[in-house]
Amino acid sequence: MKGTLEKFELAIIDGNADGSADLADVIVAEGRATPAEIFAHLSSAMEEVGAKYETGEYFIPEMLRSAEAVEKAMSVLETYLFERKDGQAGIVVMGTVKGDIHNIGKNIIVSALRAAGYEVHDLGVNVSAKKFVDKVKETGADLLLLSAFTTSTKPALLEIIALLKTEGLRDRVKVLSGGASHSQAFADEVGVDGFAADVKSTLEVCRRLMGES
Ligand code: B12
């Protein structure tokens, strides 16, 4: 017999949004699963979807259905996963870089940061370097978080770093990057201050960089 989390993972892989939302209700009602366990199953489901896309079993519509299944489940799980804290942990500007429209991982990080007491300005997806830099200037952000899910986004990331330098802001804001297909080596090549691959380590890196700023 499969447990709730295994069924939840399968519903996402199958792109069954009603099923994933119903199972999210069960997860909340049972109250046993930790956020780390839930994220592990969610990520493993999307890894599987990505693998099926790579081998030609899935196409874009299947990936979109799975994305929708995550979105519906997250709307149920949000308050269970992220207990809101009061306080002003810092100001964050976040978005997915130009040429990239993936947003599931970004949205999860936005929710986690808000829950951890950060003021988050979410610029959405396909965001230009100018829009990021203007928002950093306008808000006096402490942290700039760049989501980039395809490796072809490297020029877009480099453009943001270059524009921050031109505008004299590079030393005033700590920059983090992350997202599927991202690695520490990729982040190093781009020249950001921090990289993380999951929710927990993103919060840790943000906390560490806030301490340094
Ligand atoms: C769903 C999906 C889509 C959906 C996106 C829907 C949506 N609303 O987001 C759709 C169908 C639109 C899509 C389109 C494409 N996709 Co796609 N997609 C995926 C898939 C299957 C899942 C992504 C996901 O949501 N993962 C789950 C989340 C929770 O994980 P995450 O994104 O990694 O986020 C976590 C961390 O990375 C981190 N994080 C996220 N952001 C940030 C930011 C910072 C600063 C930090 C510190 C951390 C952090 O925290 C998150 C929470 O844990 C991945 C496969 C995979 N292995 O991930 C491919 C994948 C990313 N896609 C891929 C490709 C190629 C494409 C397309 C180019 C396909 C095409 N031919 O058109 C287009 C690109 C469109 C575009 N211009 O952006 C490739 C990228 C390959 C590469 N090396 O570049 C992948 C890896 C699939 C594959 N294996 O080939 N895709």
Side-chain angles (χ1 to χ4, degrees):
M1 259 282 282
K2 285 196 168 38
T4 310
L5 285 174
E6 284 75 20
K7 289 187 199 156
F8 175 64
E9 185 172 331
L10 282 177
I12 295 174
I13 295 169
D14 290 344
N16 174 0
D18 290 339
S20 68
D22 287 348
L23 285 158
D25 277 327
V26 178
I27 291 170
V28 173
E30 289 176 348
R32 275 196 305 267
T34 63
E37 284 168 341
I38 296 170
F39 286 129
H41 282 273
L42 193 154
S43 296
S44 145
M46 291 316 259
E47 282 295 325
E48 180 67 22
V49 172
K52 283 179 185 291
Y53 172 75
E54 267 183 278
T55 56
E57 187 181 337
Y58 274 13
F59 296 92
I60 300 280
E62 285 81 10
M63 283 209 280
L64 276 173
R65 269 198 287 277
S66 292
E68 198 195 324
V70 174
E71 216 171 289
K72 257 195 136 170
M74 281 304 293
S75 63
V76 176
L77 289 169
E78 175 137 10
T79 47
Y80 179 81
L81 287 169
F82 306 115
E83 202 179 301
R84 265 183 194 275
K85 282 201 197 103
D86 289 332
Q88 188 53 267
I91 301 174
V92 174
V93 169
M94 183 162 192
T96 300
V97 303
K98 198 165 172 202
D100 198 327
I101 58 163
H102 295 83
N103 69 0
I104 297 173
K106 171 187 71 63
N107 291 347
I108 291 175
I109 300 289
V110 165
S111 299
L113 286 169
R114 286 191 175 137
Y118 289 88
E119 175 187 319
V120 184
H121 300 266
D122 179 5
L123 300 182
V125 298
N126 194 22
V127 180
S128 68
K130 183 170 183 324
K131 208 166 165 197
F132 275 119
V133 173
D134 284 351
K135 201 68 182 176
V136 166
K137 222 187 276 176
E138 177 198 321
T139 58
D142 304 293
L143 303 172
L144 172 61
L145 269 71
L146 305 171
S147 280
F149 303 91
T150 54
T151 35
S152 56
T153 53
K154 196 168 168 190
L157 287 157
L158 290 170
E159 191 189 346
I160 297 163
I161 301 290
L163 192 56
L164 283 171
K165 284 184 184 155
T166 314
E167 298 283 324
L169 292 166
R170 183 65 189 95
D171 296 333
R172 285 205 259 146
V173 63
K174 299 283 184 193
V175 186
L176 285 87
S177 64
S181 356
H182 221 96
S183 63
Q184 181 68 58
F186 185 80
D188 289 344
E189 284 167 31
V190 171
V192 292
D193 305 304
F195 158 78
D198 57 38
V199 179
K200 191 165 170 274
S201 45
T202 300
L203 289 175
E204 281 164 7
V205 176
C206 286
R207 220 171 293 131
R208 177 170 57 75
L209 290 175
M210 282 304 294
E212 286 175 13
S213 63

